[in-house]
PDB file of all heavy atoms in Angstrom:
ATOM      1  N   LEU A 227      41.085  -3.636 -40.942  1.00 97.00           N
ATOM      2  CA  LEU A 227      42.066  -3.558 -39.874  1.00 97.00           C
ATOM      3  C   LEU A 227      42.323  -4.971 -39.361  1.00 97.00           C
ATOM      4  O   LEU A 227      41.410  -5.782 -39.274  1.00 97.00           O
ATOM      5  CB  LEU A 227      41.500  -2.679 -38.753  1.00 97.00           C
ATOM      6  CG  LEU A 227      42.447  -2.130 -37.711  1.00 97.00           C
ATOM      7  CD1 LEU A 227      43.440  -1.164 -38.348  1.00 97.00           C
ATOM      8  CD2 LEU A 227      41.650  -1.423 -36.631  1.00 97.00           C
ATOM      9  N   ASN A 228      43.551  -5.279 -39.015  1.00 97.00           N
ATOM     10  CA  ASN A 228      43.899  -6.611 -38.503  1.00 97.00           C
ATOM     11  C   ASN A 228      43.720  -6.641 -36.982  1.00 97.00           C
ATOM     12  O   ASN A 228      44.630  -6.939 -36.238  1.00 97.00           O
ATOM     13  CB  ASN A 228      45.336  -6.961 -38.895  1.00 97.00           C
ATOM     14  CG  ASN A 228      45.693  -8.385 -38.565  1.00 97.00           C
ATOM     15  OD1 ASN A 228      44.825  -9.228 -38.414  1.00 97.00           O
ATOM     16  ND2 ASN A 228      46.973  -8.655 -38.453  1.00 97.00           N
ATOM     17  N   ASP A 229      42.504  -6.361 -36.556  1.00 96.00           N
ATOM     18  CA  ASP A 229      42.214  -6.274 -35.123  1.00 96.00           C
ATOM     19  C   ASP A 229      41.692  -7.598 -34.576  1.00 96.00           C
ATOM     20  O   ASP A 229      41.716  -8.612 -35.265  1.00 96.00           O
ATOM     21  CB  ASP A 229      41.227  -5.133 -34.858  1.00 96.00           C
ATOM     22  CG  ASP A 229      39.912  -5.313 -35.600  1.00 96.00           C
ATOM     23  OD1 ASP A 229      39.686  -6.398 -36.195  1.00 96.00           O
ATOM     24  OD2 ASP A 229      39.097  -4.375 -35.592  1.00 96.00           O
ATOM     25  N   GLU A 230      41.221  -7.582 -33.346  1.00 94.00           N
ATOM     26  CA  GLU A 230      40.750  -8.792 -32.689  1.00 94.00           C
ATOM     27  C   GLU A 230      39.608  -9.466 -33.451  1.00 94.00           C
ATOM     28  O   GLU A 230      39.493 -10.689 -33.455  1.00 94.00           O
ATOM     29  CB  GLU A 230      40.284  -8.490 -31.252  1.00 94.00           C
ATOM     30  CG  GLU A 230      41.377  -8.020 -30.330  1.00 94.00           C
ATOM     31  CD  GLU A 230      41.566  -6.498 -30.359  1.00 94.00           C
ATOM     32  OE1 GLU A 230      40.833  -5.785 -31.091  1.00 94.00           O
ATOM     33  OE2 GLU A 230      42.477  -6.024 -29.664  1.00 94.00           O
ATOM     34  N   ARG A 231      38.750  -8.674 -34.075  1.00 92.00           N
ATOM     35  CA  ARG A 231      37.612  -9.238 -34.814  1.00 92.00           C
ATOM     36  C   ARG A 231      38.066 -10.085 -35.991  1.00 92.00           C
ATOM     37  O   ARG A 231      37.385 -11.003 -36.408  1.00 92.00           O
ATOM     38  CB  ARG A 231      36.682  -8.128 -35.308  1.00 92.00           C
ATOM     39  CG  ARG A 231      35.934  -7.462 -34.163  1.00 92.00           C
ATOM     40  CD  ARG A 231      34.861  -6.546 -34.664  1.00 92.00           C
ATOM     41  NE  ARG A 231      33.857  -7.325 -35.404  1.00 92.00           N
ATOM     42  CZ  ARG A 231      33.056  -6.805 -36.318  1.00 92.00           C
ATOM     43  NH1 ARG A 231      33.134  -5.540 -36.631  1.00 92.00           N
ATOM     44  NH2 ARG A 231      32.177  -7.573 -36.932  1.00 92.00           N
ATOM     45  N   ARG A 232      39.213  -9.767 -36.571  1.00 94.00           N
ATOM     46  CA  ARG A 232      39.723 -10.513 -37.730  1.00 94.00           C
ATOM     47  C   ARG A 232      40.683 -11.631 -37.324  1.00 94.00           C
ATOM     48  O   ARG A 232      41.164 -12.378 -38.157  1.00 94.00           O
ATOM     49  CB  ARG A 232      40.469  -9.587 -38.674  1.00 94.00           C
ATOM     50  CG  ARG A 232      39.715  -8.811 -39.755  1.00 94.00           C
ATOM     51  CD  ARG A 232      38.307  -8.518 -39.615  1.00 94.00           C
ATOM     52  NE  ARG A 232      38.145  -7.138 -39.166  1.00 94.00           N
ATOM     53  CZ  ARG A 232      37.000  -6.610 -38.825  1.00 94.00           C
ATOM     54  NH1 ARG A 232      35.897  -7.306 -38.862  1.00 94.00           N
ATOM     55  NH2 ARG A 232      36.918  -5.380 -38.424  1.00 94.00           N
ATOM     56  N   ALA A 233      40.962 -11.764 -36.051  1.00 89.00           N
ATOM     57  CA  ALA A 233      41.944 -12.751 -35.571  1.00 89.00           C
ATOM     58  C   ALA A 233      41.553 -14.190 -35.901  1.00 89.00           C
ATOM     59  O   ALA A 233      42.419 -15.035 -36.085  1.00 89.00           O
ATOM     60  CB  ALA A 233      42.163 -12.598 -34.070  1.00 89.00           C
ATOM     61  N   THR A 234      40.268 -14.458 -36.005  1.00 93.00           N
ATOM     62  CA  THR A 234      39.825 -15.823 -36.280  1.00 93.00           C
ATOM     63  C   THR A 234      39.616 -16.089 -37.771  1.00 93.00           C
ATOM     64  O   THR A 234      39.277 -17.212 -38.152  1.00 93.00           O
ATOM     65  CB  THR A 234      38.512 -16.120 -35.534  1.00 93.00           C
ATOM     66  OG1 THR A 234      37.499 -15.214 -36.001  1.00 93.00           O
ATOM     67  CG2 THR A 234      38.695 -15.985 -34.024  1.00 93.00           C
ATOM     68  N   LEU A 235      39.804 -15.094 -38.597  1.00 97.00           N
ATOM     69  CA  LEU A 235      39.592 -15.234 -40.042  1.00 97.00           C
ATOM     70  C   LEU A 235      40.656 -16.126 -40.660  1.00 97.00           C
ATOM     71  O   LEU A 235      41.849 -15.940 -40.425  1.00 97.00           O
ATOM     72  CB  LEU A 235      39.638 -13.841 -40.675  1.00 97.00           C
ATOM     73  CG  LEU A 235      39.128 -13.687 -42.084  1.00 97.00           C
ATOM     74  CD1 LEU A 235      37.658 -14.047 -42.174  1.00 97.00           C
ATOM     75  CD2 LEU A 235      39.331 -12.253 -42.544  1.00 97.00           C
ATOM     76  N   ARG A 236      40.221 -17.126 -41.430  1.00 98.00           N
ATOM     77  CA  ARG A 236      41.126 -18.085 -42.062  1.00 98.00           C
ATOM     78  C   ARG A 236      40.739 -18.317 -43.514  1.00 98.00           C
ATOM     79  O   ARG A 236      39.566 -18.172 -43.889  1.00 98.00           O
ATOM     80  CB  ARG A 236      41.073 -19.442 -41.342  1.00 98.00           C
ATOM     81  CG  ARG A 236      41.444 -19.406 -39.878  1.00 98.00           C
ATOM     82  CD  ARG A 236      42.933 -19.212 -39.663  1.00 98.00           C
ATOM     83  NE  ARG A 236      43.302 -19.211 -38.269  1.00 98.00           N
ATOM     84  CZ  ARG A 236      43.475 -18.133 -37.513  1.00 98.00           C
ATOM     85  NH1 ARG A 236      43.311 -16.940 -38.025  1.00 98.00           N
ATOM     86  NH2 ARG A 236      43.841 -18.236 -36.251  1.00 98.00           N
ATOM     87  N   VAL A 237      41.724 -18.725 -44.318  1.00 98.00           N
ATOM     88  CA  VAL A 237      41.449 -19.125 -45.691  1.00 98.00           C
ATOM     89  C   VAL A 237      40.454 -20.282 -45.648  1.00 98.00           C
ATOM     90  O   VAL A 237      40.567 -21.194 -44.822  1.00 98.00           O
ATOM     91  CB  VAL A 237      42.753 -19.540 -46.414  1.00 98.00           C
ATOM     92  CG1 VAL A 237      42.459 -20.179 -47.760  1.00 98.00           C
ATOM     93  CG2 VAL A 237      43.677 -18.339 -46.576  1.00 98.00           C
ATOM     94  N   GLY A 238      39.449 -20.213 -46.511  1.00 98.00           N
ATOM     95  CA  GLY A 238      38.394 -21.220 -46.540  1.00 98.00           C
ATOM     96  C   GLY A 238      37.136 -20.795 -45.797  1.00 98.00           C
ATOM     97  O   GLY A 238      36.069 -21.384 -46.002  1.00 98.00           O
TER      98      GLY A 238
END
Side-chain angles (χ1 to χ4, degrees):
L227 197 65
N228 188 21
D229 59 9
E230 295 89 1
R231 290 190 63 203
R232 273 24 100 187
T234 61
L235 194 62
R236 301 287 181 263
V237 170

